[in-house]
Amino acid sequence: MGSKLYAGLSYEQVVRKYAQNVSSACMMRLQNWADAEDCFQNTFLKLYQKSPDFKNENHLKAWLLRVAINECKNCIRDNRRHLPLDSALNLPAPSSEDDADLSWALLKLEGDYREVVYLYYVEHMKVREIAEILGKNQNTVKTLLSRGREKLRKIYGGDADERV
């Protein structure tokens, strides 16, 4: 039996290449490692089982993130062990030397803002791509992004655009 390729990559290569992207998206959404791990595994299981065809690696990455986010939504809807990371919310703001790590600030944002800001700044996705993945209007994504930036400014006490 031949090995299926996804945008020119083997299944193992896809998992290695996009594991961090998928696990980060799940963790940012769920804030619970056990549930994030389940959603991570379900995402790659769906890739393996469905074996969709992709135009290119951008299409593959967008598909993986869309499936991961949908898995997280299903997890939350099913009232599983969704617990906020209270301890992370009590940490002091990172110093200016630590600006590259936005995890602390992202955890303080509400769910919709966190998703949009994460996908835009960490995954470097365009507004159009984010809207498609989240099933939202592009203008809604722009509004969430704008409000998310403002909330980051308040968290950081300065201009979030300079730090993000």
Side-chain angles (χ1 to χ4, degrees):
M1 182 166 136
S3 171
K4 170 81 172 140
L5 293 179
Y6 307 89
L9 301 172
S10 71
Y11 179 78
E12 293 80 14
Q13 289 171 318
V14 171
V15 173
R16 278 190 216 99
K17 184 167 185 170
Y18 295 106
Q20 183 64 42
N21 302 92
V22 172
S23 64
S24 295
C26 292
M27 193 61 193
M28 283 297 147
R29 177 71 173 158
L30 297 172
Q31 299 182 15
N32 175 299
W33 181 248
D35 289 341
E37 192 172 54
D38 287 345
C39 291
F40 171 90
Q41 290 174 353
N42 289 342
T43 299
F44 284 105
L45 180 62
K46 283 187 177 183
L47 174 69
Y48 186 79
Q49 290 174 333
K50 295 184 184 279
S51 294
D53 288 323
F54 299 102
K55 300 175 207 164
N56 53 45
E57 283 194 51
N58 287 337
H59 183 216
L60 169 62
K61 180 179 177 182
W63 187 90
L64 287 169
L65 290 172
R66 184 181 319 114
V67 171
I69 288 168
N70 287 338
E71 284 294 321
C72 292
K73 287 179 181 178
N74 291 342
C75 180
I76 291 168
R77 187 187 65 235
D78 293 342
N79 293 322
R80 295 186 61 206
R81 301 171 309 273
H82 179 65
L83 301 173
L85 293 174
D86 292 333
S87 59
L89 297 178
N90 295 326
L91 293 173
S95 65
S96 59
E97 300 86 49
D98 201 15
D99 285 343
D101 183 11
L102 291 178
S103 299
W104 172 86
L106 286 173
L107 288 173
K108 288 201 168 239
L109 289 177
E110 296 163 18
D112 283 344
Y113 300 117
R114 185 181 327 115
E115 271 183 348
V116 171
V117 171
Y118 172 81
L119 291 171
Y120 188 82
Y121 287 108
V122 177
E123 295 297 335
H124 307 289
M125 300 187 90
K126 294 180 168 89
V127 169
R128 176 185 44 78
E129 295 170 319
I130 296 169
E132 189 176 301
I133 286 173
L134 298 179
K136 296 186 185 294
N137 182 293
Q138 287 186 40
N139 288 332
T140 303
V141 170
K142 289 176 185 176
T143 300
L144 289 170
L145 189 56
S146 175
R147 290 178 183 167
R149 285 183 190 123
E150 186 58 38
K151 289 180 181 288
L152 281 177
R153 282 184 192 96
K154 289 178 183 174
I155 290 169
Y156 270 111
D159 187 4
D161 288 330
E162 293 175 11
R163 289 175 165 75
V164 178

